[in-house]
């Protein structure tokens, strides 16, 4: 039997064909008839069936006993017990003693986040956390201090230049609202757009897959993006390449911006960033003299020291050059199953939500309604009235994903109640009191509705469930609905009320409600099993600004100017360090953060080495494959060396997500950790206390000083 579906391990939603016969191993291949991905798949997608059948997968929910052993429990009993414990905790200590952490895999089943958020609102707690504050929270901070464009982003397909800083979307598929890069079939799309005349600028210390295709690659020293973008803005303003009309209408503070970047001459920047000053000028001219196209970034600059100011300057490139969709111009994002409402072509000024309202005891205001992930430790460990006593985790693995792993594991072990919804014995699941076993990707029907904002075509696809789900598992969304019902609460989502007295709806029924205002009906989309680009559905265009629009981008507020000044001083201060290398972030094709390392044959430990330039390897007299210990000011891990010509000299990179749960005296863990050999967790080298960004408390995860010793 052959089935058509799409992958849901990452947002690229690649079309898949799954052939299976009773008793035989299923075969997964790319769907050649898929309108956007044309047969493209990656190693993870081709193993998607194996994730479902892996013997480590939970087929039932589990409850931990006092001695640390787990026993199966039915989802309904688990939900009743969890609801009762949450009620007790809230009654005794108040709602803020309960926290919620949402991780990446919660985004890839389209109903999980809407139901989880609606349930979470009924809890009345302010202690919301997510993986975004160990990811690209600098984008939220920049938006809060700079402002944003209501109509969002220009499209890659219309651009004559595009700048990508610290992102490798040909591996990470990070596109859409993050980088604007096409998330579907990126290699072919980039080739097409370049043939059309698009010019590509890449800012990355490594010669990545996307950097090899760039017209200009600025191979900067990690952690110096603030200086590099100050330099690009310096040249753009010096040459008069800014969009004066846009600046006059939609910005404030240009003189302050001019003055703040004045010290960043091409020669100064070339020295700080270790790039060629002529190439820097060429990049500024290429970007500044184009008509359409944006400067965007990934995790690279946002995980470095000075992330907030770097991201502010990256986004300011678009403001200074007026690179946003104007009235009547197409905006990024498809809308087929969505309603396709046209946002206005106007600026929305800064909001600085963290400066007013709730302030946590650990000293943080709310950023996009959330507290920093690293503040979980203080929230749990510091003795005070609203100390966090319970944490519910949805599709995430904080015990492995967050810098300062040992402290976090210690804190999670101190909770009265830790619940995670996870199909695998993740590091977090090993510490949990309850693990809810969810339905997995191919066992649920879904639509592309939730990802449309990332698409750059009017594409939609519906998939039925490919396999029946095991009896003991429950859909992620259903878990949150049942948790709300167990407390007697109704949830209202996408205009529909789900009351405790209602029968449990099916996933298909809920999906239909989600597409009630579709531009093309779900019934019509279902007629096209490979998905379809609906040519009749025109791209959404920006509406004219309202007459009363008063929002303006604040291009250089005082706190940003202050951070830039400090970044400059720290860059020009020559410091002697015993740690000669800079550790950087990178992603592995075969894993998705901490997910995937458990699958035999997919992500071998060999995927988690320390990548190093050949000259550095010869300097240390290390051969490819040599065993080394890597030491930072915060910890040591052991791994192997991979000699890699794509690295910059003096810079190494190690991917995250590997390793196992550290053995802590106080952590009562179970003995069923995944594969004994899981590589090293790079988060043991990072600190959750030193060099945190202002506002978001984002830890420094790239450009970290380390030393390397042979073992
Ligand atoms: N050193 C270092 N650390 C990093 C990074 C880095 O670059 N360097 N990157 C950071 C980034 S960008 C992020 S986003 C975070 C990620 O942080 P998290 O989101 O906390 O971690 P993930 O590994 O993505 O967690 C996904 C979990 O979902 C589970 N899962 C899989 N399928 C399903 C499902 O259908 N339902 C449910 N409920 N669960 C499922 C997986 O088993 C896994 O345990 O890590 C950060 N950590
Ligand atoms: N296969 C796979 N795909 C993934 C994931 C995964 O784990 N595996 N994770 C998903 C998640 S959660 C996210 S957030 C996205 C992330 O998506 P991306 O941000 O595109 O992730 P990377 O491919 O690691 O690209 C980061 C780049 O930053 C560069 N870099 C490091 N330090 C610096 C610096 O200081 N400055 C600059 N300018 N560059 C620097 C690195 O060399 C690297 O090429 O990927 C998503 N997709
Ligand atoms: S890139 Fe890989 S993981 Fe992402 S959707 Fe496509 S096949 Fe799945
Ligand atoms: Mo991420």
């Amino acid at each position: 039997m052959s089935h058509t579906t799409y992958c849901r391990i990452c947002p690229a939603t690649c079309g898949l064909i799954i052939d299976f016969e009773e008793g035989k191993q299923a075969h997964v291949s790319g769907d050649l008839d898929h309108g956007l991905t044309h047969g493209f798949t990656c190693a993870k997608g081709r193993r998607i069936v194996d994730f479902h059948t892996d013997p480590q997968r939970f087929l039932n929910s589990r409850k931990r006993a006092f001695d640390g052993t787990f026993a199966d429990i039915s989802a309904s009993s688990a939900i009743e017990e969890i609801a009762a414990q949450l009620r007790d905790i809230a009654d005794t200590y108040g709602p803020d003693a309960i926290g919620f952490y949402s991780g990446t895999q919660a985004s890839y089943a389209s109903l999980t986040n809407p139901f989880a958020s609606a349930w979470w609102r009924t809890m009345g707690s302010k202690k919301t956390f997510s993986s975004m504050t160990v990811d690209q929270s600098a984008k939220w901070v920049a938006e809060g201090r700079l402002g944003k464009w209501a109509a969002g982003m220009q499209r890659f397909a219309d651009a004559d230049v595009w700048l990508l800083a610290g992102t490798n979307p040909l591996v990470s598929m990070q596109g859409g609202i993050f980088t604007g890069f096409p998330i579907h079939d990126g290699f072919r799309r980039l080739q097409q757009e370049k043939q059309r005349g698009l010019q590509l600028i890449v800012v990355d210390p490594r010669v990545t897959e996307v950097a090899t295709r760039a017209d200009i690659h600025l191979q900067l020293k990690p952690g110096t993006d603030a200086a590099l973008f100050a330099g690009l803005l310096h040249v753009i303003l010096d040459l008069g390449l800014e969009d004066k009309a846009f600046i006059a209408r939609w910005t404030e503070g240009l003189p302050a911006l001019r003055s703040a970047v004045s010290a960043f001459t091409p020669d100064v920047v070339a020295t700080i960033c270790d790039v060629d000053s002529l190439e820097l000028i060429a990049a500024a001219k290429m970007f500044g003299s184009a008509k359409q196209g944006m400067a965007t970034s990934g995790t690279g600059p946002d995980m470095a020291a000075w992330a907030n100011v770097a991201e502010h300057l990256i986004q300011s490139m678009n403001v200074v050059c007026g690179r946003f969709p104007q009235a009547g111009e197409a905006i990024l994002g498809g809308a087929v199953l969505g309603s396709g409402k046209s946002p206005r072509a106007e600026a929305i000024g800064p909001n600085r939500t963290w400066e007013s309202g709730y302030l946590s005891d650990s000293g943080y205001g709310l950023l996009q309604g959330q507290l920093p992930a690293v503040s979980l430790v203080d929230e749990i460990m510091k003795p005070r009235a609203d100390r966090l006593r319970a944490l519910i985790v949805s599709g995430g693995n904080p015990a492995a994903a967050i810098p300062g792993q040992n402290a976090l594991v210690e804190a999670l072990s101190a909770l009265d109640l830790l619940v995670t919804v996870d199909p695998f014995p993740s590091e977090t699941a090993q510490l949990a009191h309850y693990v809810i076993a969810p339905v997995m990707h191919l066992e649920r029907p879904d639509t592309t509705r939730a990802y449309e904002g990332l698409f750059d075509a009017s594409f939609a696809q519906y998939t039925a469930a490919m396999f029946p789900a095991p009896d003991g598992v429950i859909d992620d969304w259903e878990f949150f609905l049942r948790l709300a019902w167990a407390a007697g609460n109704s949830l209202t989502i996408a205009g529909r009320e789900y009351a405790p007295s209602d029968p449990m709806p099916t996933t298909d029924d809920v999906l239909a409600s989600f597409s009630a205002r579709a531009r093309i009906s779900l019934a019509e989309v279902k007629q096209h099993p490979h998905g379809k680009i609906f040519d009749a559905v025109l791209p959404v265009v920006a509406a004219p600004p309202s007459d009363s629009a008063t929002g303006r981008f604040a291009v250089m507020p005082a706190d940003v100017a202050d951070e830039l000044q400090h970044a400059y001083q720290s860059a020009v201060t020559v410091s002697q360090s015993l740690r000669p290398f800079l550790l950087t972030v990178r992603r592995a094709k075969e894993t998705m953060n901490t997910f995937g390392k458990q699958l035999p044959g997919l992500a071998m430990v060999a995927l988690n080495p320390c990548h190093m330039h050949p000259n550095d390897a010869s300097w240390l007299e290390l051969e490819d494959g040599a065993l080394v210990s890597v030491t930072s000011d915060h910890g040591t891990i052991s791994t192997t060396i991979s000699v890699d010509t794509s690295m910059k000299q003096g810079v190494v990179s190690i991917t995250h997500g590997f390793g196992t749960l550290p053995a802590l005296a106080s952590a009562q863990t179970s003995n069923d950790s995944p594969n004994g050999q899981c590589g090293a967790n790079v988060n043991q080298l990072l600190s959750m206390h030193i060099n945190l960004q202002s506002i978001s408390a984002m830890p420094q995860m790239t450009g970290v000083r380390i030393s390397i010793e042979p073992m």
Side-chain angles (χ1 to χ4, degrees):
M1 260 198 309
S2 181
H3 283 281
T4 308
T5 185
Y6 61 89
C7 179
R8 286 154 269 171
I9 296 175
C10 91
T13 58
C14 298
L16 299 179
I17 301 290
I18 303 190
D19 296 298
F20 52 92
E21 273 176 62
E22 202 56 47
K24 286 203 177 150
Q25 208 178 354
H27 179 258
V28 183
S29 55
D31 179 2
L32 296 167
D33 298 319
H34 188 277
L36 292 176
T37 58
H38 310 284
F40 176 88
T41 55
C42 79
K44 303 180 291 301
R46 290 191 295 275
R47 294 290 301 275
I48 191 167
V49 174
D50 304 344
F51 279 106
H52 294 65
T53 54
D54 189 82
Q56 294 172 82
R57 177 187 174 187
F58 296 138
L59 301 176
N60 287 293
S61 294
R62 292 150 49 96
K63 178 182 178 180
R64 182 149 63 94
F66 286 112
D67 64 359
T69 59
F70 283 96
D72 284 356
I73 181 172
S74 72
S76 10
S77 304
I79 289 166
E80 267 171 41
E81 292 182 19
I82 294 164
Q85 289 185 41
L86 290 176
R87 197 177 313 122
D88 282 351
I89 291 171
D91 286 349
T92 316
Y93 306 104
D96 284 336
I98 300 170
F100 178 60
Y101 174 94
S102 178
T104 52
Q105 287 295 322
S107 302
Y108 305 142
S110 68
L111 300 179
T112 306
N113 281 336
F115 276 85
S117 311
W119 160 75
W120 183 234
R121 281 193 294 275
T122 67
M123 299 300 293
S125 162
K126 290 175 279 302
K127 306 269 177 75
T128 315
F129 307 85
S130 83
S131 51
M132 186 65 175
T133 44
V134 284
D135 180 343
Q136 291 156 86
S137 49
K139 293 186 170 57
W140 285 351
V141 174
E143 185 184 308
R145 302 200 286 194
L146 174 69
K148 66 172 181 181
W149 192 247
M153 294 171 72
Q154 292 184 340
R155 302 191 312 171
F156 200 76
D158 304 325
D160 39 29
V161 72
W162 209 268
L163 187 154
L164 297 171
T167 179
N168 187 22
L170 292 174
V171 166
S172 68
M173 310 293 155
Q174 161 142 290
I177 48 166
F178 285 94
T179 66
F181 195 85
I183 56 172
H184 297 113
D185 202 9
F187 286 94
R188 199 184 52 89
R189 277 295 305 281
L190 180 56
Q191 197 181 13
Q192 253 176 18
E193 302 297 346
K194 289 207 71 184
Q195 276 164 3
R196 170 180 69 73
L198 176 92
Q199 292 188 296
L200 184 69
I201 305 167
V202 169
V203 179
D204 198 305
R206 186 159 65 89
V207 189
T208 60
E209 282 79 351
V210 81
T212 56
R213 290 158 174 85
D215 296 282
I216 298 179
H217 175 199
L218 297 171
Q219 200 178 355
L220 84 176
K221 179 179 159 191
T224 64
D225 295 80
L228 189 119
F229 282 92
L232 290 173
L233 283 161
H234 175 106
V235 177
I236 286 171
L237 292 170
D238 220 35
L239 298 177
L241 295 174
E242 73 274 20
D243 182 336
K244 296 176 185 70
F246 186 89
I247 289 171
R249 175 63 189 89
W250 296 115
T251 72
E252 62 185 25
L254 192 75
L257 174 66
R258 249 183 223 286
S259 137
V261 301
S262 62
F264 293 88
T265 61
D267 286 342
V268 167
V269 173
T271 310
I272 294 176
C273 304
D274 191 23
V275 296
D276 185 308
S277 61
L278 293 178
E279 275 203 286
L280 180 88
I281 296 170
K285 283 184 178 165
M286 185 182 279
F287 188 84
S289 53
K291 287 200 177 60
Q292 289 252 60
M294 305 190 73
T296 61
S297 67
T299 50
D302 290 20
M303 290 183 168
W306 313 111
N308 288 349
V309 60
E311 189 59 44
H312 188 97
L313 295 169
I314 293 169
Q315 295 186 18
S316 295
M317 297 273 289
N318 303 317
V319 175
V320 164
C321 296
R323 300 293 166 72
F324 296 102
Q326 296 303 308
E329 288 178 3
I331 67 173
L332 176 79
V336 176
L337 288 167
S339 67
K341 219 171 147 227
S342 289
R344 290 190 185 277
E346 63 185 42
I348 300 175
N351 59 30
R352 292 184 178 258
T353 52
W354 56 89
E355 287 182 356
S356 54
Y358 178 73
L359 193 68
S360 75
D361 271 351
S362 41
Y364 296 103
L366 296 177
L367 176 63
Q368 304 258 343
Q370 300 187 9
L371 291 174
V374 296
S375 75
L376 269 168
V377 171
D378 269 6
E379 292 291 339
I380 297 169
M381 302 304 262
K382 289 259 167 81
R384 55 189 169 219
D386 70 345
R387 184 175 87 75
L388 208 59
R389 289 159 200 272
L391 185 71
I392 312 289
V393 177
S394 167
N397 188 8
I402 296 179
Q405 193 193 14
N406 293 12
L408 199 86
V409 167
E410 193 97 52
L412 293 176
S413 312
L415 286 164
D416 296 349
L417 177 65
L418 175 62
V419 178
T420 187
V421 189
D422 203 307
F424 284 100
S426 71
E427 287 80 347
T428 307
Q430 291 171 58
L431 299 171
H433 299 96
Y434 294 89
V435 185
I436 303 297
V439 167
M440 283 190 72
H441 310 83
L442 298 178
E443 295 156 359
R444 53 187 183 234
D446 214 334
T447 75
T448 48
R449 159 88 172 84
Y451 318 109
E452 286 185 346
L454 304 175
F455 292 3
D456 61 354
S458 298
F459 177 87
Q461 187 169 10
Y462 164 84
T463 175
M466 296 288 99
F467 307 122
D471 289 340
V473 304
I474 172 174
D475 243 302
D476 282 87
W477 67 264
E478 192 183 328
F479 167 69
F480 291 106
L481 181 59
R482 285 167 63 168
L483 207 49
W485 283 0
N489 293 315
S490 298
L491 298 182
T492 300
I493 301 161
R496 172 172 167 187
E497 189 185 349
Y498 300 84
S501 54
D502 292 346
M504 182 56 69
T506 63
T507 303
D508 269 311
D509 180 17
V510 181
L511 287 171
S513 303
F514 265 74
S515 300
R517 295 196 191 90
R519 293 164 96 194
I520 298 280
S521 72
L522 182 56
E524 166 69 19
V525 170
K526 284 183 177 176
Q527 300 300 308
H528 306 280
H530 302 279
K532 184 171 155 67
I533 299 175
F534 289 89
D535 291 325
V537 179
L538 298 174
V540 178
V541 295
S546 70
D547 294 338
S548 56
T550 53
R552 281 173 182 269
F553 288 104
V555 285
M556 192 44 69
D559 49 352
V560 180
D562 197 45
E563 283 165 36
L564 184 57
Q565 180 64 25
H566 280 97
Y568 177 80
Q569 265 150 14
S570 90
V572 294
T573 310
V574 183
S575 61
Q576 294 295 324
S577 174
L578 296 170
R579 310 209 184 280
F581 294 101
L582 292 174
L583 169 71
T584 55
V585 289
R586 77 182 292 136
R587 259 138 236 275
K589 280 195 195 87
E590 294 80 356
T591 52
M592 182 70 187
N593 301 323
T594 75
F595 183 52
K597 66 169 181 254
Q598 70 272 47
L599 210 61
L602 177 62
M604 286 130 330
V605 181
L607 291 169
N608 175 226
C610 176
H611 294 261
M612 177 180 263
H613 190 276
N615 291 354
D616 291 332
S618 358
W619 178 59
L620 291 178
E621 297 178 0
L622 292 170
E623 305 260 311
D624 190 62
L627 201 59
V628 291
S629 65
V630 179
T631 304
S632 70
D633 289 347
H634 315 292
T636 297
I637 59 173
S638 52
T639 182
T640 53
I641 288 292
S642 170
V643 177
D644 182 344
T645 53
S646 74
M647 297 307 300
K648 185 180 174 77
Q649 236 174 286
V651 176
V652 300
S653 67
I654 307 178
T655 197
H656 65 292
F658 284 77
T660 48
L661 202 58
L664 297 181
S666 59
Q668 197 175 53
T669 62
S670 77
N671 53 8
D672 59 354
S673 66
N675 292 358
Q677 285 295 311
C678 268
N681 192 325
V682 74
N683 279 328
Q684 297 196 346
L685 296 176
L686 307 178
S687 164
M688 58 164 61
H689 300 295
I690 315 276
N691 287 346
L692 300 186
Q693 289 298 292
S694 61
I695 302 157
S696 60
M698 176 74 189
Q700 187 186 347
M701 295 156 78
T702 198
V704 174
R705 290 226 156 261
I706 51 142
S707 53
I708 295 176
E709 307 282 331
M711 272 173 73

